[in-house]
Amino acid sequence: HPSALEAVLLRFPEVVEYRVEVDQTGPMAVLRIDVEALPASSDVAERVGRAIRDALLFRAEVNVVPPGSLPRHEMKARRVTRKTMTPAQQTPAS
C-alpha cells in the first residue's frame, strides 16, 4: 500500500522526495525506492530500509539519488511505478 509506505518515509525529515518501483520481471517482486536526501544524511538508505522492514515486514532496496534528480509530484500514485514482464518474457507453466 503506497500510503503505508509513504507514512514510513515521512518519518524522515531528511528525505526530500522519493520514487518507488515494483519490479515484477523476476520470479519474485522487488521493491526499489530511490530517495533524495539532504546532504548531511549519510546513512539514510540504511535507516529507511530498516524502518520499512520493521513497520511493514518486507525488505526494500533503498538507494540515495542526487538532489534534484527525481520529479516532483503532489500525488503518491505518480511516485509508484511497476515494471512487469512482457508476454514474450513469460514462459508457460508446466
Side-chain angles (χ1 to χ4, degrees), residues 2 6 17-18 71-80:
E6 182 177 48
E17 188 59 66
Y18 69 93
R72 301 300 191 248
H73 298 292
E74 293 180 15
M75 300 173 64
K76 60 185 161 270
R78 294 193 180 168
R79 289 184 173 126
V80 178

